[in-house]
Amino acid sequence: MQAVIMAGGFGTRLHPLTYKIPKPMVPVVGAPMMEHIVRLLAKNGYDEAISLLYYHGEIISDYFGDGKNFGIDMKYKSAEADLGTVGSVRNATDMINGRFIVISADVLTDFDLRAAVEFHEKRNALATIVLTRHPTPLQFGIIITDEDGKITRFLEKPAWGQVFSDTINTGIYILEPEVLDWIPKGQFYDFSQNLFPHLLESNEGLYGYIAPGYWRDVGNLREYRRANEDVLWGKVNVKFPGECKKIGDAEIWCDEGVEIDDNVTFEGKVLLGKNVKVGNGSFLYNTVVGANTEIGIGTNIEQSVIWDKVEIGNSVQIHNATIATEVKIGNSARIEEHCVIAGNCKIGNEATIYTGVKIWPDKIIEDRAVLTESLIWRDRVGGELFTKSRISGVINWELSPEFVSKIGTALGAAFGKENATLVVSRDPDRASQITARALFCGAMSAGMDVADVGIVPIPTVRHYLSLNPQRAGVHIRKSPYAQKRQDLIFFNGDGTDLPTKICRKIEQLLMREGIPRADYENLGRLSRPSGIIDSYRNKILENIDIDAIKSKKFRIVMDYQFGAAAQVMPAIHERVGAEVITLNAYVDPNHLTKTRDEREQSFRRLSAVVKTLDAHLGFAIDPIGERLTVCDENGKIYQDNDLLYIATKLYLELNKPESIAVPISATMGVDFLAREHGTRVIHTRDEHLAMMEAALKSEISFVGGNRGGFIFTNFGFACDAMFAAIKVLEMLAKTERKLSEVASTIPNYRWVEREIECPWHAKGKVMRSLIEYTQKFPREIIDGVRVITSNAWILMLPDAERPVFHLLSEGKTEKTANELVKKYSELIEKWQKK
């Protein structure tokens, strides 16, 4: 049988270990990851393998040669360009001569591949994906199959609200040669993004086999350490070098030529590779030591992975670290937890490497030096850099000027230097000003021009980009929710959110040592475009009925909440003839972040002013200009679903749209309104990105959010509280109604919300159980699971940042809503204990 081994990945998430070697050659318990895969294939009857190479492929081919030493006939195919996973397989068509298995070289597994092939044959499948259960499936493609194993749903790398199962794609595929006919030649093509969705849509024989056994994607440094630990503790069946010895209570695997001096203490499980020497009085605990490594006298190594040919001096302390090949560590050095030292580095005597520091290859750390930060860039707490299209962090620490400058450099490298302009806007906070300057420097040093549009609301800069497309944009703001945090929000060149693919590319560039810089002649230039706010105002005025608003002579109260909308709106109010009483109508960086109590207090103040001054209505626009709160003439505040109902009702009374879109958690009152007007409601995920995606569809003219965000697609594609406020005035004028009259029709539905604690490792299992349990009920699986009954609905949504499930129910009576919440709360608690 024939196997195709995917061995071309860059392994950027394992930097700095993979800076000079391909990821498949990173050792796990003394042997390259790919060697464990090759031996697994040979064990399961595969006699021929084709290794697909791209990054440092010669290192792989030199190590494995013709494969005879590993029990297999090894051939190689190199690609001249990155063709994606399937594209690389298609590139090797001339070497494939029948049914074949595709397997990644950078996973650790002991699956019974024969059983998977037997499953494939019995079902006469065109393609079979080998699956496994995973407690935290967020980073993988998740899959649902029917009782016979046929795949019915597939989603690659979902958000938590889209996790409908804990059954994941392992990257192991059994394929018939006819699959190759589905793959375009010489193009980038991916299994998960392209081929499998195409097969599923075409109702071809796409099956999933849930394999028992061990599987781990060694995708980052944390998973790499865990993979070594799992092998040490026997959780996966792989070949160990040498023989096992019992020394005290410890288990030691010793390869040939190992020398252990007197008074050496071992605890837990330790692997010593060929010709390892351990000096007198040293202590080793739960550690892997590679071949030809020498450990000095009185050295302490705990829970670490040491590669080959490392020289460790006397009285060295190493704790939970990874040390790569040919590193030299001087006497009395201290390497703290989660440090990673890449190959051929030299650590001086008495040097201290602090927790979490990464050192790229070939670096020299002087004697008695104290290294507190990585030599390339500081590792962030919490894993991936981007959350959707946003980078967030603690001001001047996680988002230090040095790190932000490197983000700018990576942006410049990602978008290229030729005719590439980055548009930067910000809020008035002084930290945002510092961050903007750092971003300018980095981007311009990489050859990217920068257009600084200054202090403007987010909708204004999106509008600017939609009219003047550039390569990318960034808005810098102080977090609305945390006083000491900052957000960098990234836009595509047309003002939409930056695509995930480009965010990942920027992450990969940041992990590289040498991000390309520009020559002097090609350094970027800084410009400051003018007229942006005027252009935005004109666009608003072009898309409203000025005369209708003028005719009503509105008296309104505007609370700008110290944001940049105060610089935009006064001229518009003057044009529409509104009498305006303003609150907080100046930009103040000290009031951009508010607690819940502070926000509620500001709304009470708005209410009091509206009633005192006998205003027709009041508006509050959040500091970034995206969310709207409304107050009627009686001082009643409308937010969230009540405001969504009001805006939708006004819009439907004046327009005849084919479709509108609202989030999955929107009140069912919107559905009843739409039904009355013959309009279709499309539900989206409960996030701004999904609302924007809906707004870009030609059949949708209105997208309403339940957190004060509204999109009128004749004007824009993103939430804009400034335009929404003027639009509400226009719609009230045209319907000749007071806001309180419209609000009086809001249905008296009852809302019940509850949080159920659920450990991270149980979330995927609970979602799978929820999908299985509700399959015969009316439901929507868009963001979490929404179950619909005749007089109520309930949404069950796993939290993306906390180990909880959110249960939100709306019913015609409080009893019906409570019954649903009680029922599913008990089920979720039961399922997580299964």
Side-chain angles (χ1 to χ4, degrees):
M1 290 192 291
Q2 213 174 26
V4 174
I5 302 174
M6 307 296 293
F10 290 97
T12 50
R13 289 185 296 162
L14 282 182
H15 275 175
L17 297 178
T18 51
Y19 186 67
K20 290 191 172 182
I21 65 170
K23 184 178 175 185
M25 295 304 292
V26 171
V28 173
V29 292
M33 281 190 275
M34 183 168 163
E35 181 174 335
H36 296 301
I37 292 299
V38 170
R39 294 192 184 280
L40 177 70
L41 290 168
K43 179 181 174 181
N44 280 268
Y46 288 87
D47 53 14
E48 182 182 340
I50 304 165
S51 290
L52 305 182
L53 309 179
Y54 184 55
Y55 177 67
H56 285 317
E58 72 284 354
I59 297 177
I60 295 174
S61 58
D62 288 348
Y63 182 87
F64 288 98
D66 60 11
K68 289 179 181 177
N69 292 336
F70 304 93
I72 204 164
D73 180 19
M74 183 74 76
K75 295 181 173 63
Y76 303 95
K77 186 73 173 183
S78 297
E80 295 180 359
D82 184 5
L83 299 174
T85 51
V86 187
S88 299
V89 174
R90 179 69 174 81
N91 192 45
T93 300
D94 59 328
M95 304 172 72
I96 296 171
N97 52 33
R99 177 188 300 147
F100 60 101
I101 190 169
V102 175
I103 189 167
S104 297
D106 53 8
V107 298
L108 187 64
T109 183
D110 58 8
F111 285 162
D112 182 351
L113 301 179
R114 285 191 177 95
V117 172
E118 184 179 341
F119 171 93
H120 175 87
E121 290 174 340
K122 284 184 177 179
R123 283 153 182 78
N124 196 28
L126 180 64
T128 295
I129 304 175
V130 178
L131 311 174
T132 192
R133 307 283 195 205
H134 197 283
T136 52
L138 204 62
Q139 298 302 315
F140 308 98
I142 58 173
I143 289 171
I144 287 182
T145 64
D146 62 18
E147 294 178 357
D148 193 41
K150 192 166 187 179
I151 292 174
T152 59
R153 193 164 185 199
F154 183 98
L155 185 62
E156 177 70 4
K157 295 185 179 178
W160 261 119
Q162 299 170 290
V163 173
F164 46 74
S165 175
D166 62 349
T167 307
I168 65 164
N169 175 4
T170 66
I172 303 173
Y173 315 122
I174 301 160
L175 305 174
E176 295 299 318
E178 290 79 12
V179 166
L180 298 171
D181 297 334
W182 292 72
I183 307 169
K185 189 174 183 179
Q187 297 181 25
F188 185 94
Y189 211 64
D190 186 78
F191 277 112
S192 300
Q193 298 286 350
N194 306 112
L195 179 62
F196 293 146
H198 193 185
L199 293 177
L200 183 63
E201 183 181 355
S202 302
N203 197 29
E204 294 294 330
L206 181 62
Y207 285 80
Y209 168 72
I210 302 175
Y214 177 95
W215 179 88
R216 184 179 290 282
D217 172 30
V218 189
N220 56 43
L221 294 166
R222 185 183 297 111
E223 292 298 305
Y224 174 67
R225 287 193 296 270
R226 287 175 178 168
N228 281 275
E229 291 169 8
D230 288 350
V231 177
L232 278 181
W233 288 92
K235 294 181 180 180
V236 54
N237 182 18
V238 301
K239 182 181 178 181
F240 274 86
E243 59 180 356
C244 182
K245 296 180 179 179
K246 197 82 168 163
I247 301 179
D249 293 331
E251 288 184 4
I252 315 299
W253 282 267
C254 295
D255 208 342
E256 61 185 57
V258 168
E259 297 179 15
I260 302 173
D261 284 354
D262 297 335
N263 302 316
V264 174
T265 303
F266 296 98
E267 285 188 11
K269 298 176 186 289
V270 176
L271 185 145
L272 302 176
K274 189 179 295 185
N275 301 322
V276 165
K277 296 179 181 179
V278 185
N280 182 54
S282 290
F283 172 79
L284 278 75
Y285 166 62
N286 287 351
T287 287
V288 174
V289 182
N292 301 301
T293 287
E294 297 184 7
I295 299 170
I297 297 169
T299 285
N300 184 319
I301 305 176
E302 301 180 15
Q303 296 182 304
S304 295
V305 180
I306 314 295
W307 290 15
D308 296 350
K309 300 178 183 178
V310 176
E311 296 179 19
I312 302 173
N314 302 328
S315 303
V316 173
Q317 301 287 320
I318 301 175
H319 302 278
N320 202 2
T322 303
I323 314 294
T325 301
E326 296 186 351
V327 170
K328 295 180 180 180
I329 302 175
N331 298 329
S332 301
R334 181 179 181 86
I335 316 295
E336 296 189 351
E337 291 187 347
H338 307 302
C339 290
V340 180
I341 303 177
N344 203 34
C345 288
K346 182 179 179 180
I347 311 299
N349 296 323
E350 300 180 38
T352 298
I353 314 300
Y354 272 26
T355 298
V357 166
K358 298 180 179 67
I359 304 176
W360 259 243
D362 307 318
K363 298 295 183 288
I364 297 175
I365 309 301
E366 302 293 339
D367 293 349
R368 292 176 293 282
V370 177
L371 192 61
T372 60
E373 293 193 7
S374 300
L375 292 187
I376 306 307
W377 60 282
R378 183 177 206 148
D379 190 25
R380 288 169 46 85
V381 176
E384 293 186 339
L385 185 64
F386 279 88
T387 301
K388 299 189 173 77
S389 58
R390 185 186 79 244
I391 295 176
S392 300
V394 177
I395 293 170
N396 213 28
W397 182 58
E398 290 179 319
L399 290 179
S400 66
E402 296 86 353
F403 181 53
V404 172
S405 177
K406 287 172 183 171
I407 293 174
T409 308
L411 273 169
F415 286 101
K417 304 178 184 66
E418 199 168 327
N419 299 319
T421 298
L422 174 69
V423 175
V424 180
S425 62
R426 64 180 178 90
D427 69 10
D429 188 68
R430 64 183 184 277
S432 301
Q433 183 181 34
I434 293 169
T435 298
R437 298 298 187 270
L439 194 70
F440 295 172
C441 293
M444 292 166 67
S445 74
M448 196 174 195
D449 293 338
V450 172
D452 176 17
V453 300
I455 301 171
V456 295
I458 286 179
T460 305
V461 73
R462 287 191 191 273
H463 165 74
Y464 173 76
L465 285 167
S466 69
L467 295 182
N468 306 276
Q470 305 294 340
R471 294 304 294 273
V474 181
H475 182 83
I476 303 161
R477 72 177 186 189
K478 188 177 183 180
S479 169
Y481 310 109
Q483 186 73 20
K484 296 182 179 181
R485 293 183 68 83
Q486 190 176 63
D487 301 325
L488 276 66
I489 301 168
F490 292 77
F491 309 127
N492 212 359
D494 58 0
T496 57
D497 284 7
L498 194 67
T500 301
K501 183 178 179 181
I502 299 178
C503 294
R504 296 293 171 260
K505 183 177 181 181
I506 293 168
E507 282 187 358
Q508 290 173 359
L509 285 165
L510 277 165
M511 291 180 185
R512 289 172 51 178
E513 179 173 20
I515 302 175
R517 304 273 182 166
D519 298 330
Y520 175 78
E521 294 79 9
N522 296 314
L523 290 173
R525 291 174 170 81
L526 177 64
S527 63
R528 290 187 167 88
S530 60
I532 294 170
I533 290 177
D534 288 339
S535 171
Y536 173 74
R537 288 194 195 109
N538 291 337
K539 179 75 179 292
I540 289 179
L541 294 169
E542 288 168 5
N543 284 276
I544 58 170
D545 189 333
I546 296 174
D547 292 337
I549 301 174
K550 273 186 175 180
S551 68
K552 292 301 177 184
K553 299 180 179 180
F554 284 109
R555 181 187 302 114
I556 61 176
V557 179
M558 290 293 305
D559 181 359
Y560 292 113
Q561 298 193 354
F562 305 102
Q567 300 174 328
V568 177
M569 297 298 289
I572 295 173
H573 291 141
E574 184 178 346
R575 285 289 305 276
V576 300
E579 178 186 347
V580 181
I581 300 97
T582 59
L583 303 176
N584 307 315
Y586 59 95
V587 173
D588 185 349
N590 296 315
H591 290 87
L592 299 178
T593 301
K594 285 188 172 70
T595 64
R596 181 189 295 269
D597 288 343
E598 287 170 337
R599 284 193 291 273
E600 292 301 322
Q601 184 179 357
S602 71
F603 295 147
R604 287 194 293 271
R605 190 180 302 116
L606 174 64
S607 170
V609 173
V610 168
K611 288 191 292 183
T612 301
L613 298 180
D614 196 27
H616 295 104
L617 69 164
F619 298 99
I621 295 175
D622 77 331
I624 61 174
E626 290 184 331
R627 294 185 177 182
L628 184 68
T629 300
V630 179
C631 176
D632 71 13
E633 73 278 8
N634 300 315
K636 184 173 175 58
I637 297 290
Y638 299 97
Q639 305 177 75
D640 303 334
N641 273 295
D642 285 348
L643 182 55
L644 172 61
Y645 182 90
I646 289 169
T648 305
K649 184 175 179 64
L650 287 168
Y651 186 80
L652 292 179
E653 287 182 2
L654 293 168
N655 300 275
K656 301 295 181 184
E658 175 187 340
S659 302
I660 62 172
V662 295
I664 190 69
S665 59
T667 172
M668 58 185 173
V670 169
D671 295 276
F672 292 128
L673 278 175
R675 196 176 304 162
E676 290 173 10
H677 290 84
T679 297
R680 181 166 65 108
V681 174
I682 296 172
H683 286 135
T684 73
R685 300 187 309 279
D686 202 353
E687 61 182 19
H688 188 209
L689 175 61
M691 292 173 64
M692 286 194 291
E693 290 170 349
L696 293 171
K697 296 179 180 178
S698 59
E699 71 272 20
I700 295 176
S701 58
F702 171 77
V703 183
N706 51 9
R707 295 189 185 92
F710 300 96
I711 305 173
F712 298 86
T713 63
N714 66 309
F715 174 76
F717 52 79
C719 291
D720 187 332
M722 293 174 286
F723 181 77
I726 298 297
K727 192 69 176 177
V728 168
L729 289 179
E730 179 200 81
M731 293 189 294
L732 288 171
K734 287 186 170 183
T735 57
E736 299 188 341
R737 299 167 73 182
K738 295 181 179 179
L739 183 65
S740 59
E741 292 175 14
V742 182
S744 67
T745 65
I746 297 174
N748 191 26
Y749 298 146
R750 300 297 182 178
W751 289 80
V752 177
E753 298 183 48
R754 186 177 300 175
E755 285 186 0
I756 302 296
E757 291 186 3
C758 180
W760 287 106
H761 69 266
K763 279 187 175 181
K765 177 170 60 177
V766 168
M767 284 298 289
R768 171 167 50 87
S769 300
L770 190 54
I771 292 291
E772 293 170 353
Y773 180 81
T774 60
Q775 60 185 339
K776 295 183 180 179
F777 301 151
R779 69 180 184 185
E780 292 179 284
I781 307 173
I782 295 170
D783 198 7
V785 179
R786 184 176 188 250
V787 179
I788 305 156
T789 69
S790 58
N791 53 10
W793 59 265
I794 183 168
L795 176 66
M796 290 146 285
L797 184 66
D799 193 286
E801 298 177 352
R802 297 165 52 217
V804 299
F805 265 78
H806 297 283
L807 275 65
L808 173 64
S809 182
E810 183 186 33
K812 292 183 176 178
T813 67
E814 191 167 348
K815 180 182 177 183
T816 55
N818 267 317
E819 285 174 349
L820 278 177
V821 169
K822 181 175 183 295
K823 173 184 175 180
Y824 282 98
S825 296
E826 291 172 352
L827 286 170
I828 289 172
E829 289 173 346
K830 172 186 170 184
W831 289 329
Q832 61 185 274
K833 295 173 183 176
K834 281 169 52 175

